[in-house]
Amino acid sequence: MPSSPITEPTVGDIRAAADRIRGAVPQTPLLTSPALDERLGGRILIKPECLQRTGSFKIRGAYNFISQLDPAARRAGIVAYSSGNHAQGVAAAAALLNTDATIVMPADAPAIKLANTKSYGASVITYDRYSENREEIAAGFARERGAVLVPPYDHPWTIAGQGTAGLELMSQAKAIGAELDAVLICCGGGGLTAGMAIAIKAARPETEIYAVEPAGFDDTIRSLATGERCRVKPGQTSVCDALLGPIPGELTFPINQRLLAGGVTVTDDQALAAMAYAFSTLKLVVEPGGAVALAAVLSTRFDCLGKTVAIVLSGGNVDPSLLCATLTGASAP
Amino acid sequence: MPSSPITEPTVGDIRAAADRIRGAVPQTPLLTSPALDERLGGRILIKPECLQRTGSFKIRGAYNFISQLDPAARRAGIVAYSSGNHAQGVAAAAALLNTDATIVMPADAPAIKLANTKSYGASVITYDRYSENREEIAAGFARERGAVLVPPYDHPWTIAGQGTAGLELMSQAKAIGAELDAVLICCGGGGLTAGMAIAIKAARPETEIYAVEPAGFDDTIRSLATGERCRVKPGQTSVCDALLGPIPGELTFPINQRLLAGGVTVTDDQALAAMAYAFSTLKLVVEPGGAVALAAVLSTRFDCLGKTVAIVLSGGNVDPSLLCATLTGASAP
């Protein structure tokens, strides 16, 4: 394992990550939609991480992490566990850095995520989401092969990599003269939220940052309320497969606790409606978990009236069958 | 009718158009896709006009046109004929400029295009694409009501407006140090192609520009070959509903004849495959006609090996039923 100290990354670490990933990880644009602005009565800036290489922001952290491993560690290969977007980010980053990657994925992950992960050259080990422990499987594999585990969110290198999306956002907002009142970020384990929050607050301390979570998986929001890391209650399900982490990270939560103004939950129906809106009006392909920040503003769970608000669309790896069922009003497969 | 002289617009006219539309018509980004670059062995820059307000580039020309009408003309209202994207562009621009709009559309236009046009507040008159003449219907309405016809491509104001996409492209390419070997542009009546060509050639004369047309609707390509405006042969059909114009424009063709290096045709299957690729890999919603330039490079009808090539995705107003049938391998509705 890399011997980095487990401490919170600084905005300096995020800037170093931005230098490290440049060339391999493209910047995503900052988009506007007059139709969305008119509907919500605010100025909405869209950070479409669905357009990122591998279809989500995850390659930012994965590339920043793997590129800091020493040559011996890279030769030993890396391992990761993920429902799909981290899997693809790690697989693609490992391929770019000539490192063997093995990814532990739930057998019921979206087909597109399984197929894409393999297409980047990674080996995939599937497990049963309900009866097996992915951390244990990955840790066992890491021990056995001497492979380094690439943490999906709870590591300063991962967080710093995801934070580059926040640096870009603030620089792009500044370039168009937008002063952000709020930023809404899709939140699973909290790595993207924490990384972006550090970058956003460094640039503009008065900008309020909100985590957006699916109903039932509002572990970060409940943790913010209670001041302690709360676990997702057993038996929950959500269509937002990218956001089903069981508990906020040990490292991400204190960052989010310090920097976030609060959180917003959205229902599956609201996430699916936002995915359909992104398709029909924004012309962007967004997966349900990637659409929750959009769902928060469209549903007015978060009120944008008179405000300048940035929303992150964190990923676009949706199976066509789910999107098409949603668009045509059929029941989801 | 506006009394502008029917002469070719200059790059100065396009710069004036860019000033005129600023604020109402957002810039679209310039995107890159490492996956696409790797597949084609070149550096591909994507100008996604599907992300433009109204889902296509058409509002650029429509807004530039209507905003130059004098107050009396604007009060009399405007009329346009269009299979759908110009309809939406004109309807939205007219609404922004407080002008009544009536749009003549084929009864079998994609449902999304009919619905969106009405949603911008325009009145829609439908006609039978195979037995009625849309120019005559629109001209009759214009005479009767004193309304100004907003030409879909064959007017210097329209062409100058579409050309603003070319100004943006060249400025964005320059900002990332990309020297374009070629630009591929979806071509119907030739307004986008002509306008962009003027802007591109003014910025970099050595960049080669190619019109991309659907098989059977290669009227511009055949006209370039013969040196005379050729008409589409009777009985042709194509899924690229945005690109079914019968003959190159009187004004657009001489511009394209002077500035284009050539043209590429793609089949319907290639256009649909490109639409599916845009969905699954680029995470962009593109309509078949908007995907023909992408189809030209994906099919290697245009070889990108070792080149820096920009492709325009001209629109994203596709009916979900068609996209979903394509994605799931079902036959198109």
Side-chain angles (χ1 to χ4, degrees):
Chain A
M1 281 291 291
S3 57
S4 68
I6 301 299
T7 56
E8 293 185 7
T10 64
V11 70
D13 294 327
I14 299 174
R15 290 198 192 101
D19 289 339
R20 215 172 274 124
I21 70 176
R22 188 166 297 131
V25 181
Q27 292 208 358
T28 54
L30 190 63
L31 302 176
T32 57
S33 163
L36 186 58
D37 289 356
E38 280 157 26
R39 171 165 165 165
L40 300 178
R43 182 181 188 185
I44 315 300
L45 303 175
I46 302 159
K47 186 69 175 164
E49 286 295 298
C50 50
L51 301 181
Q52 183 51 269
R53 186 171 199 161
T54 72
S56 90
F57 68 95
K58 287 284 192 179
I59 195 172
R60 296 176 181 271
Y63 193 95
N64 186 49
F65 188 100
I66 300 170
S67 64
Q68 292 184 73
L69 297 177
D70 63 36
R74 279 202 223 172
R75 271 193 304 275
I78 57 91
V79 61
Y81 52 85
S82 162
S83 70
N85 283 336
H86 181 56
Q88 292 170 80
V90 169
L96 288 166
L97 294 162
N98 295 310
T99 305
D100 287 340
T102 302
I103 318 286
V104 180
M105 297 182 72
D108 63 350
I112 187 177
K113 294 183 177 180
L114 287 160
N116 287 351
T117 303
K118 291 174 189 166
S119 80
Y120 297 123
S123 305
V124 171
I125 300 173
T126 56
Y127 73 99
D128 177 14
R129 199 194 281 268
Y130 304 101
S131 67
E132 296 184 273
N133 183 312
R134 62 183 191 173
E135 286 87 341
E136 282 173 13
I137 296 170
F141 184 89
R143 271 194 308 275
E144 198 175 294
R145 308 285 181 98
V148 173
L149 180 78
V150 184
Y153 48 87
D154 224 13
H155 191 283
W157 297 354
T158 306
I159 296 170
Q162 320 305 28
T164 59
L167 283 188
E168 283 176 28
L169 167 63
M170 298 313 282
S171 155
Q172 291 164 327
K174 189 175 177 188
I176 57 170
E179 301 205 330
L180 295 176
D181 295 309
V183 181
L184 274 63
I185 307 171
C186 314
C187 187
L192 178 65
T193 307
M196 289 191 73
I198 293 167
I200 293 163
K201 286 291 189 183
R204 193 166 188 279
E206 57 272 49
T207 298
E208 294 192 332
I209 301 164
Y210 295 85
V212 187
E213 295 185 306
F217 292 85
D218 56 344
D219 47 309
T220 289
I221 293 168
R222 287 191 295 117
S223 303
L224 291 171
T226 62
E228 289 186 358
R229 291 166 60 231
C230 300
R231 190 171 282 277
V232 168
K233 290 171 190 158
Q236 303 292 327
T237 59
S238 169
V239 73
C240 301
D241 63 276
L243 305 180
L244 307 188
I247 187 166
E250 284 181 62
L251 188 56
T252 56
F253 180 63
I255 299 170
N256 289 331
Q257 193 175 27
R258 195 174 68 249
L259 300 180
L260 265 53
V264 184
T265 61
V266 300
T267 66
D268 273 7
D269 281 352
Q270 289 167 337
L272 292 172
M275 177 175 77
Y277 182 90
F279 177 93
S280 60
T281 302
L282 306 181
K283 308 301 177 188
L284 293 171
V285 180
V286 183
E287 63 186 276
V292 294
L294 177 61
V297 299
L298 285 175
S299 66
T300 68
R301 299 291 287 260
F302 185 90
D303 186 358
C304 295
L305 195 63
K307 295 183 195 148
T308 300
V309 178
I311 57 173
V312 181
L313 308 182
S314 55
N317 293 311
V318 58
D319 274 340
S321 55
L322 173 63
L323 179 70
C324 291
T326 305
L327 292 174
T328 58
S331 54
Chain B
M1 281 290 293
S3 58
S4 69
I6 302 298
T7 56
E8 293 185 7
T10 65
V11 69
D13 294 328
I14 299 174
R15 290 199 192 99
D19 289 339
R20 216 171 272 125
I21 70 176
R22 188 166 296 131
V25 180
Q27 291 209 357
T28 55
L30 190 63
L31 302 176
T32 57
S33 162
L36 186 57
D37 289 356
E38 281 156 27
R39 170 164 165 166
L40 300 178
R43 183 181 189 185
I44 316 300
L45 303 174
I46 302 160
K47 186 69 175 164
E49 287 295 299
C50 50
L51 302 180
Q52 183 52 267
R53 186 171 199 160
T54 71
S56 90
F57 68 94
K58 287 285 193 179
I59 195 172
R60 297 176 180 271
Y63 193 95
N64 186 51
F65 188 100
I66 299 170
S67 64
Q68 293 183 72
L69 297 177
D70 63 37
R74 281 202 221 171
R75 271 195 303 277
I78 56 89
V79 61
Y81 53 85
S82 162
S83 69
N85 283 335
H86 181 57
Q88 292 170 81
V90 168
L96 288 166
L97 293 162
N98 296 312
T99 304
D100 286 340
T102 302
I103 317 285
V104 179
M105 297 180 73
D108 64 350
I112 186 177
K113 294 183 177 180
L114 287 160
N116 287 351
T117 302
K118 290 174 190 166
S119 80
Y120 297 122
S123 305
V124 171
I125 300 173
T126 55
Y127 72 99
D128 177 10
R129 199 194 280 270
Y130 303 101
S131 66
E132 296 185 275
N133 183 312
R134 62 184 191 173
E135 286 88 342
E136 281 174 14
I137 296 169
F141 183 90
R143 270 194 309 275
E144 199 176 293
R145 307 284 181 99
V148 173
L149 180 79
V150 184
Y153 48 85
D154 224 11
H155 190 284
W157 295 356
T158 307
I159 296 170
Q162 320 305 29
T164 59
L167 282 188
E168 284 176 27
L169 167 64
M170 297 315 281
S171 156
Q172 291 164 327
K174 191 176 177 186
I176 57 170
E179 302 205 328
L180 295 176
D181 295 309
V183 181
L184 273 62
I185 307 170
C186 312
C187 187
L192 178 64
T193 306
M196 289 191 73
I198 293 167
I200 293 163
K201 287 291 189 181
R204 193 169 187 278
E206 56 272 49
T207 298
E208 294 193 331
I209 302 164
Y210 295 85
V212 186
E213 296 184 305
F217 292 85
D218 56 345
D219 47 310
T220 290
I221 293 170
R222 288 191 295 117
S223 301
L224 290 171
T226 62
E228 286 187 2
R229 291 165 62 230
C230 301
R231 189 171 283 278
V232 167
K233 288 170 191 157
Q236 304 292 326
T237 60
S238 169
V239 72
C240 301
D241 62 276
L243 305 180
L244 306 188
I247 187 167
E250 281 181 65
L251 188 57
T252 56
F253 180 63
I255 299 171
N256 289 331
Q257 191 175 27
R258 195 175 66 247
L259 300 180
L260 265 54
V264 184
T265 60
V266 299
T267 65
D268 273 8
D269 281 351
Q270 289 167 338
L272 291 172
M275 178 175 76
Y277 182 92
F279 177 93
S280 60
T281 303
L282 306 180
K283 308 301 179 188
L284 293 171
V285 180
V286 183
E287 62 185 276
V292 294
L294 177 60
V297 299
L298 285 174
S299 67
T300 69
R301 298 291 288 260
F302 185 88
D303 185 0
C304 294
L305 195 65
K307 295 182 195 150
T308 300
V309 178
I311 56 173
V312 180
L313 308 182
S314 55
N317 293 311
V318 58
D319 274 341
S321 56
L322 173 63
L323 180 70
C324 291
T326 305
L327 292 174
T328 58
S331 56

